Amino acid sequence: QVQLVESGGGVVQPGGSLRLSCAVSGPTLEDYAIGWFRQAPGRRREGVGCISSIDGNAYYPDSVKDRFTVSRDNAKNTVYLQMNNLKPEDTAVYYCVAEHLGLYCSGPDYWGQGTQVTVSS
């Protein structure tokens, strides 16, 4: 059983930055693709970044590429989402996810409880 606990959400002005953290407990991180999804009111969940368990590369959708960075610290069992140049449309609940032997986090096996990010002036 994998447990994921997010932290670091809050309110930030457009153009600002925020870093989310995800504390992971359970089996070793190396067996899991770890990443982040988000869901805004009235919209479907979308992936915003994933570190593959297959090749170790990070994958991002065009909507956040060059602004968001996913990183992992295996020694601390923690995954981060660094978000720069935030826009109002980035406002959403952000979820940490884990997918066993996954590539793109396309079918997460585990979800965190979510943390709210609001981008507003």
Side-chain angles (χ1 to χ4, degrees):
Q1 185 76 15
V2 175
Q3 291 186 327
L4 308 165
V5 180
E6 302 97 335
S7 61
V11 180
V12 62
Q13 292 186 341
S17 298
L18 203 61
R19 189 178 79 161
L20 306 182
S21 299
C22 174
V24 183
S25 61
T28 57
L29 284 180
E30 288 82 0
D31 293 337
Y32 286 83
I34 304 287
W36 296 84
F37 273 62
R38 68 184 180 187
Q39 186 167 25
R43 302 184 65 178
R44 60 184 296 179
R45 285 179 176 175
E46 65 167 334
V48 294
C50 177
I51 296 180
S52 167
S53 65
I54 306 300
D55 57 16
N57 293 327
Y59 296 91
Y60 306 94
D62 289 341
S63 58
V64 304
K65 195 173 293 183
D66 298 328
R67 298 191 299 122
F68 287 14
T69 302
V70 180
S71 61
R72 58 198 293 174
D73 185 335
N74 290 340
K76 295 182 178 180
N77 275 8
T78 302
V79 177
Y80 303 97
L81 178 66
Q82 177 68 42
M83 304 182 290
N84 298 326
N85 190 22
L86 282 162
K87 305 175 181 180
E89 52 263 41
D90 294 318
T91 296
V93 177
Y94 284 72
Y95 299 89
C96 181
V97 301
E99 181 182 20
H100 189 241
L101 299 178
L103 180 60
Y104 301 121
C105 300
S106 56
D109 299 299
Y110 299 97
W111 295 75
Q113 83 286 355
T115 185
Q116 176 70 46
V117 173
T118 302
V119 184
S120 174
S121 55

